[in-house]
Amino acid sequence: MKLFFDFDEDEGQGDGNQLELAKLIAQIKNLDVGEVALLRRILREIEKWKEGR
C-alpha cells in the first residue's frame, strides 16, 4: 500500500523537519473529505507559486 506521504530519511532538514512532518500528517488524518480537497488545492497553488518564482 502506497502511503499518502512517503518521505525518505535523507529528505528534509533533519529531525526537526521530520517531527513537523509527523505533526502535519497527524492533522491531515483528522480532516474530512472536503478539507482534504481544499488542502490539495492549496498545495497545488503553492507549487504553481514556487514554479513562478
Side-chain angles (χ1 to χ4, degrees):
M1 180 174 133
K2 182 72 174 162
L3 297 175
F4 186 70
F5 290 101
D6 187 17
F7 298 100
D8 291 335
E9 288 295 318
D10 295 336
E11 292 180 11
Q13 299 174 0
D15 292 337
N17 195 49
Q18 293 297 317
L19 179 58
E20 287 303 313
L21 289 172
K23 289 178 185 179
L24 288 169
I25 291 167
Q27 287 180 293
I28 291 167
K29 287 180 179 180
N30 291 319
L31 299 178
D32 65 30
V33 174
E35 292 167 330
V36 170
L38 175 60
L39 181 58
R40 285 185 181 148
R41 289 195 308 268
I42 292 167
L43 290 173
R44 277 194 295 266
E45 290 301 317
I46 292 170
E47 288 173 350
K48 288 179 192 176
W49 174 77
K50 284 177 64 175
E51 290 171 1
R53 289 197 274 171

